[in-house]
Each structure stands twice: as structure tokens, then as C-alpha cells.
Amino acid sequence: MSDLGDKILLAHGSGGQASHQLVSELFLRYFANDWLEQLDDAAVLPMAVPQMADAHGPTRLAFTTDSYVVHPLFFPGGNIGKLAVCGTVNDLAMTGAQPLYLSAGFIIEEGFSVADLTRIVQSMAETAKAAGVHIVTGDTKVVDRGSADGLFINTAGVGLVPQGLHISGAAAQPGDAILLSGSIGDHGMTIMSQREGLRFASALESDCASLNGLVASMLDASTAIHALRDPTRGGLATTLNEIAGSSKVGIEIVEDEILVRDEVRGACEMLGLDPLYVANEGKLIAALPADQAEVVVSAMRGHEYGRQARIVGHATAEHPGRVVLKTSLGTRRILNMLTGEQLPRIC
Amino acid sequence: MSDLGDKILLAHGSGGQASHQLVSELFLRYFANDWLEQLDDAAVLPMAVPQMADAHGPTRLAFTTDSYVVHPLFFPGGNIGKLAVCGTVNDLAMTGAQPLYLSAGFIIEEGFSVADLTRIVQSMAETAKAAGVHIVTGDTKVVDRGSADGLFINTAGVGLVPQGLHISGAAAQPGDAILLSGSIGDHGMTIMSQREGLRFASALESDCASLNGLVASMLDASTAIHALRDPTRGGLATTLNEIAGSSKVGIEIVEDEILVRDEVRGACEMLGLDPLYVANEGKLIAALPADQAEVVVSAMRGHEYGRQARIVGHATAEHPGRVVLKTSLGTRRILNMLTGEQLPRIC
């Protein structure tokens, strides 16, 4: 207990170092099993289908969940409902799975606007349809006024992992190219600017999007992909640290290759934030053999959510577990995982 | 919109009439698909496993979710964590599925006690182990103080439905016997008495239990079971109305056959509540051919959670969609679905 402290802090939900500590010291300790310990965006599970020929191996199911507590509920580029569908679709897609079915659990504060709830549900339906998934089961709880802040949504999702794919945050190899699908920080700075009432907020828009189509295009180009992750809470730097730690490789990335939109950079500077640690909701990182990188980048650029895809670095056998940034000035600095809580309730 | 009103009310989370209205006018309208429309405790989904011989039909996956907002978090017989595992295991079991994997999503208020969270997580792990399921994926969000009431937990679950079973709340037939696995009202009155600080609270204990083992015993005795449901929010009367409505049968039950523990009856009388509408968390209702009823009741009585199982009524072709109670006095009264909100935050 002593390591976690007496009280849960906002930092325990940051996606950064304190979150990892909570997961490893509490959840992994008590729920201990091989699937959870992978700490991938979705668990990949064997389903022993009795009538299936053993020769083909078991069916593998991807299964994931996320709760959404974003504040405000509506923001440029999306809302909590769109986010709840995209986020869970993306967690499935990051295992290479074809997302199939979602659940939706609503926790609603008494007095919440039916018109707002309707807009959110409509948005979930549209987003699910566009991603090719069905919302097949759900639950609604209403809590008394003051016991929740408007609306929280949980989505869980299941999908099928095609035979032959073995994509995991723990599977990056030394020599792999590291790809990034586009600019970073858009979602986090959009939410932040809405809260702070920044003047230039109108230029910011969340990148919230379902990435399963992009992943399908990548897999059409090459099934040799080792690792996929979407850099949400904790941002690019934290997610790269997760891959480096799980895969026991070093990662080196080149600052000049990382796109940050001017509006995002401006908002970050104003608020004193580093875009490398700001959440994204429509971007992915891939690690794959360097000789496959060009063909996969090219496939990504043919997809609407990968137009700005590029190689941003590579994995190395040196400094395993560490992420190093080659800065624009030619210096090298270690990128640690996010510490503390940068932006609460970003997703 | 006009039918739902402008604001979400506590009654929309009651499990009764207002909940059904919200589901049909909002969620079914926008998420429209055949699986959701079944409104069973879990969706039963085809998984097209490409390499599986068509002759066997598709693999069928059961998938369900529930959020838990119970207050207080700890109560005699359980806590929010035990409830979150049992509830989702039970929703899977009510389709005849073998529950396999659970997700766990935590929404935690800043400042929550790490010691309490640990007790809850330990309890989830023990309950999952006893039920034979694994918690394989999860998520933690921390919200600022005052934005949630301590802790909410969402669990989703997946399981496999054995070939040949077609159990659904819509599958009860006229002539079916209606079975009930034990006494009613224990969970709801335990929670209520904790909140009201009733003197006799010490005699009350939640019936919170995982029923998948009981269902397996029943299916060992007979696979002819038509419908299974656990009467949680809205209680026995509401759940029977759901079965009657979905199956388009009438249901007649006999008051004298329905067990209510003395402490539960006493608490209900003191608070002016009808035990037929009070939530249970470890009981089930079954509808099955009358000629199979004795063998299934006998199997249930051999299981720790079915010792007091009995036939409590039957389904009829008359008055489809209606539930009628034959009272101890020999009169008949119509049991409607719960209207309004009897006990908020019971689960």
C-alpha cells in the first residue's frame, strides 16, 4: 500500500507513470493472468471453439474497455459519444483485430438534458456505422444530482484477430522503423483550450477518428507489423515508452519528423505544455521491419487518416526501455513517461 | 423527445417502465440492430470464424455490460466489486453461455481511499476466481473531487454459447413452468437498510452471487430451458413482465410460492415497499416445458444457490404480455412493471 499512498490522485488516471504504478501494484497483483499482463490496448484471447479443427489453432478474440469522462462533453471535432466509439474501436484495431461489436454503458446525472443525450447517442450511432461496428448491448444508470458530472460513458468492444497476425506492444524489434500517422496534440489541446476559453480555440479541432480502416490498409500492404499503439493519455512520449518497456528495445525518434500543427504548438506554448505528452485520439504509432516501412507509409498516405504518415524513428538494441529524442538542435534527450497529471479528463 | 421529457430522471435508471421507455425511444432508435433489439441480459452474436466448417453453424458469443453505482460501496454480503463481477457473470449465464472473460473499468473520485480500492479489487479477484472467469482488460479514470461519488465500476463480459441452446427472454412458451431459485428482495433491502440505518439491518444480507454454476447444473438436467433471467433492478415483477412482453405470453404466479425472508418482509413493511419490486443479485427465473420442471428444480436444489428453488407459476396463452399474481387470499391481481424509481443506486 505504502507505494501507492493513501489516496487516489488525479495522476493515477493520467495514463503516465502513476497510472502504470496503480495497474502493476493493484490490478495486476490481484487479477493476475497472462492476458492482462500483456498490457496491450486490447486483450487477445483464445476461444476454444470445440467444433473447430485443431489444425487451425484457436479463434482469437480481441476484447477491450474504456470509460470516458471527458470534460466538456462537446468539443470541436467530436463529443464524448464519438470519442467512446472511436477509442474502443481503436484499441481493438491496435491488435490487428477486426472490430465487430461494442457495448455502451451510460452513467447519467439526474437532470441531464435529454436533447444533449440524444445528440451524443446519434453521434455514437453514426460513428459506429462509419467504423462498421454494431452497438449490441448496453446499460443505463442514473445517479442523484451531484453524484456524477453530467455523463460518463463506458464502451467495451470485441473483435476477431485474423490468423497469422501477432501484433503487440511487446513485439517491437531492434531495427524496426517507427511510423507515426500524423500530427500530434490536436485532441488534448482542443479540450484544454475549450476549458481555458483561449481566444484561438476556434482553430483547434480534435483528431478523434476510428482507425480500423487505416490499420486494414496497412495490413493489406504488409502483415509484418510488429506493434501498433494509439498515443492517447500521456501522449506520444508515454506510448513510445510503453512500447520500449514492453518490447525491451530502445527507441530513437527525430524531433523534426514529428508534426505539430501551428495552432497546437501555439496553445502548448501558451499553457506551458509539451506536445509530446498531449493526448491524441486519431493517431497511431507502428513498429515494423525497416524494409517494409516505405510500402506501409505509402498505404497509410492513401487513407484519409494517414495522409501525413511518416517514419519518425527506429528501434534499437541499445538502451532497452528508453526513448531518446534527437532534437532539432542536434542534441539528444531522454523522453520519460509522463509524470504527474497534465490534463485531467481529456478522454 | 417530448415523450421522454427534457431531463433525465432517476426513474430512467430504475429498470422499470421509464428505463424501458428510454431504451426504446433513444437507444434502440439510433443503435438499431437485431441483437440489441432482443433486449436480453447479454447479446448473443454470431462470430464468423472463417476456418470453421459451415456445417456447425457460426460460433455464438455472448456479450454484456453493466455499470455499478451502488451506494454504499460496502454492504453485508458484498461490495461494489463483488457485485460488478457477479452481475456480469449472471448476465452471460442467462443466455446459457459459459462466461469466460471480463473487463473492468474504474471511474474513481480523486481522494478515494487506496485501502478501500484494494479491498474492492481483492473481492473482484476472488469472485472472478470462484466463478471461473478471468479479468483480462481494464481501464482507470480519475475525476476531480466532487465529479463522482467515490467509485463507479463497469464490467463487460464475453462467453461462449454452447451449440444447440437457444435461451432468450423472448422464448417462453404457453404451458411453460416458471421457476424461481430462492427468496426475493434480499439485496435491495440490505442496501436500503444500510442507507436508512434501520436497527434490524444486521439480520439482512445481500444475496449477491455468481449463478453460472447453478445454470450449468440446470442445463445438465435439461437443455430444454426456454428463458432465463435474473430479477435485478425492478425486481421479480418487472422481470416477469419483460419475459411476458418479449415472449408474448401471459404469466401467472402464486404468491404463496414466493419466498420472502422475515427480515426482508419486515424491512419492506417498515419502508412501505413491495418485495416483488425489490432487486435481487443472486436469484434467477426460468421458463421451461412443464414436463422438465421437476428434474430441473431437483438439480437446482442440489446447488448452493438453488436450495430453495421451486415452481412459482406458469406461462399461458391468455393475456399475453400480462403478469397475474394469485394472492394468498385467493384473489388475482395484475402485476405491472415498476413505475417510477423505488430504490436508486441499488446496483
Side-chain angles (χ1 to χ4, degrees):
Chain A
M1 263 341 67
S2 54
D3 284 359
L4 280 176
D6 292 341
K7 301 287 181 193
I8 293 293
L9 309 175
L10 283 172
H12 287 120
S14 65
Q17 215 156 47
S19 296
H20 281 78
Q21 195 188 4
L22 181 67
V23 167
S24 60
E25 293 181 18
L26 187 60
F27 300 123
L28 286 184
R29 179 172 163 204
Y30 290 107
F31 297 157
N33 60 67
D34 292 345
W35 305 294
L36 189 64
E37 278 159 21
Q38 286 292 314
L39 293 179
D40 273 322
D41 287 342
V44 173
L45 308 161
M47 299 288 276
V49 180
Q51 64 273 30
M52 223 178 78
D54 284 340
H56 298 291
T59 304
R60 290 178 308 155
L61 194 78
F63 182 30
T64 190
T65 192
D66 264 320
S67 299
Y68 297 85
V69 300
V70 66
H71 176 79
L73 296 173
F74 296 90
F75 47 82
N79 60 58
I80 189 173
K82 181 180 178 186
L83 198 60
V85 173
C86 293
T88 290
V89 164
N90 292 349
D91 282 346
L92 294 172
M94 295 307 124
T95 65
Q98 184 197 353
L100 294 173
Y101 303 113
L102 300 190
S103 65
F106 297 85
I107 298 175
I108 313 175
E109 185 184 11
E110 179 189 11
F112 191 74
S113 153
V114 168
D116 282 350
L117 182 61
T118 303
R119 282 172 66 199
I120 289 164
V121 167
Q122 273 181 303
S123 176
M124 291 178 79
E126 287 162 13
T127 308
K129 191 174 179 189
V133 298
H134 301 280
I135 298 170
V136 295
T137 189
D139 175 56
T140 307
K141 294 292 189 307
V142 181
V143 298
D144 39 305
R145 212 178 285 258
S147 288
D149 186 15
L151 175 67
F152 302 141
I153 300 178
N154 176 284
T155 47
V158 294
L160 271 181
V161 183
Q163 296 290 324
L165 291 185
H166 295 278
I167 295 170
S168 163
Q173 301 287 329
D176 277 0
I178 305 295
L179 276 46
L180 178 61
S181 64
S183 66
I184 61 167
D186 299 79
H187 177 74
M189 293 323 297
T190 302
I191 299 298
M192 204 62 189
S193 65
Q194 290 290 309
R195 280 195 226 153
E196 303 284 329
L198 299 187
R199 288 236 186 96
F200 51 83
S202 61
L204 289 166
E205 186 171 302
S206 170
D207 57 340
C208 181
S210 297
L211 299 176
N212 53 327
L214 176 61
V215 172
S217 300
M218 294 167 70
L219 290 171
D220 280 347
S222 171
T223 56
I225 294 170
H226 291 151
L228 288 172
R229 272 289 163 90
D230 57 336
T232 56
R233 280 185 292 178
L236 180 66
T238 300
T239 306
L240 288 172
N241 268 281
E242 289 169 356
I243 296 172
S246 297
S247 299
K248 300 179 180 64
V249 297
I251 291 180
E252 302 196 359
I253 58 167
V254 179
E255 187 168 28
D256 286 345
E257 299 298 332
I258 295 166
L259 300 176
V260 183
R261 291 174 62 224
D262 287 343
E263 309 87 274
V264 171
R265 194 177 296 281
C268 279
E269 281 171 5
M270 187 164 296
L271 297 171
L273 297 173
D274 182 341
L276 291 166
Y277 291 91
V278 177
N280 311 277
E281 291 291 344
K283 297 293 156 26
L284 65 78
I285 302 165
L288 74 174
D291 62 3
Q292 307 284 308
E294 286 304 337
V295 64
V296 172
V297 166
S298 165
M300 291 171 79
R301 289 185 175 170
H303 191 280
E304 65 178 312
Y305 299 132
R307 298 253 183 268
Q308 296 186 301
R310 58 174 70 193
I311 301 169
V312 296
H314 65 280
T316 161
E318 288 144 48
H319 55 81
R322 284 244 157 127
V323 180
V324 172
L325 179 75
K326 288 192 199 172
T327 68
S328 307
L329 302 172
T331 61
R332 293 160 58 92
R333 72 172 167 108
I334 290 172
L335 285 186
N336 289 313
M337 210 173 255
L338 176 67
T339 53
E341 171 56 289
Q342 198 183 51
L343 307 165
R345 298 183 62 186
I346 210 73
C347 61
Chain B
M1 264 340 66
S2 55
D3 285 359
L4 281 176
D6 292 339
K7 300 286 181 194
I8 294 293
L9 309 175
L10 283 172
H12 287 120
S14 65
Q17 215 155 47
S19 295
H20 281 77
Q21 194 189 3
L22 182 67
V23 168
S24 59
E25 292 180 19
L26 187 59
F27 300 123
L28 287 184
R29 180 172 162 204
Y30 290 107
F31 297 157
N33 61 66
D34 292 345
W35 304 294
L36 190 63
E37 278 158 21
Q38 287 292 316
L39 293 179
D40 274 322
D41 286 342
V44 174
L45 307 161
M47 298 290 276
V49 180
Q51 64 274 30
M52 226 178 74
D54 285 339
H56 297 291
T59 304
R60 290 178 307 153
L61 193 78
F63 182 31
T64 190
T65 192
D66 263 320
S67 299
Y68 297 84
V69 299
V70 66
H71 177 80
L73 297 173
F74 295 90
F75 47 83
N79 60 59
I80 189 174
K82 181 179 179 187
L83 199 60
V85 172
C86 293
T88 290
V89 164
N90 292 349
D91 282 346
L92 294 172
M94 296 306 126
T95 65
Q98 183 197 352
L100 294 173
Y101 303 113
L102 300 190
S103 65
F106 297 84
I107 298 175
I108 312 175
E109 185 185 11
E110 181 189 9
F112 191 74
S113 152
V114 168
D116 283 350
L117 183 61
T118 303
R119 281 172 66 198
I120 288 164
V121 167
Q122 274 182 303
S123 175
M124 291 178 78
E126 287 163 11
T127 308
K129 190 174 180 190
V133 298
H134 301 279
I135 298 170
V136 295
T137 189
D139 175 56
T140 307
K141 293 292 189 308
V142 181
V143 298
D144 39 304
R145 213 177 282 260
S147 288
D149 186 13
L151 175 67
F152 302 141
I153 301 178
N154 177 284
T155 47
V158 294
L160 271 182
V161 183
Q163 296 290 324
L165 290 185
H166 295 278
I167 295 170
S168 164
Q173 301 288 328
D176 278 0
I178 304 295
L179 275 47
L180 178 60
S181 64
S183 66
I184 62 167
D186 299 78
H187 177 73
M189 294 322 297
T190 302
I191 299 297
M192 205 60 188
S193 65
Q194 291 290 310
R195 279 194 228 154
E196 304 283 330
L198 299 186
R199 288 236 186 94
F200 51 84
S202 61
L204 289 166
E205 187 171 302
S206 169
D207 56 341
C208 182
S210 297
L211 299 176
N212 54 326
L214 176 62
V215 172
S217 300
M218 294 167 70
L219 290 171
D220 280 347
S222 171
T223 57
I225 295 170
H226 292 150
L228 288 172
R229 272 288 165 90
D230 57 336
T232 56
R233 281 185 291 178
L236 180 67
T238 300
T239 305
L240 288 172
N241 268 280
E242 290 170 354
I243 295 172
S246 297
S247 298
K248 300 180 181 63
V249 297
I251 291 180
E252 301 194 1
I253 58 166
V254 180
E255 188 168 27
D256 286 344
E257 299 297 333
I258 295 166
L259 300 176
V260 182
R261 292 174 62 222
D262 287 343
E263 309 86 272
V264 171
R265 194 178 296 282
C268 279
E269 281 170 5
M270 186 163 297
L271 298 172
L273 298 172
D274 182 342
L276 291 167
Y277 291 91
V278 177
N280 312 277
E281 291 291 344
K283 298 293 157 24
L284 65 79
I285 302 165
L288 74 174
D291 61 3
Q292 306 284 309
E294 285 303 337
V295 64
V296 172
V297 166
S298 165
M300 292 171 79
R301 288 184 174 169
H303 191 280
E304 65 177 311
Y305 299 132
R307 298 253 183 268
Q308 295 187 300
R310 55 174 72 192
I311 301 169
V312 297
H314 65 281
T316 162
E318 289 146 45
H319 56 80
R322 284 246 158 125
V323 179
V324 172
L325 180 75
K326 288 191 197 170
T327 69
S328 307
L329 303 171
T331 61
R332 292 160 59 91
R333 72 171 167 109
I334 290 173
L335 285 186
N336 289 313
M337 209 172 256
L338 175 67
T339 53
E341 172 55 287
Q342 199 184 48
L343 307 166
R345 299 185 58 187
I346 210 70
C347 60

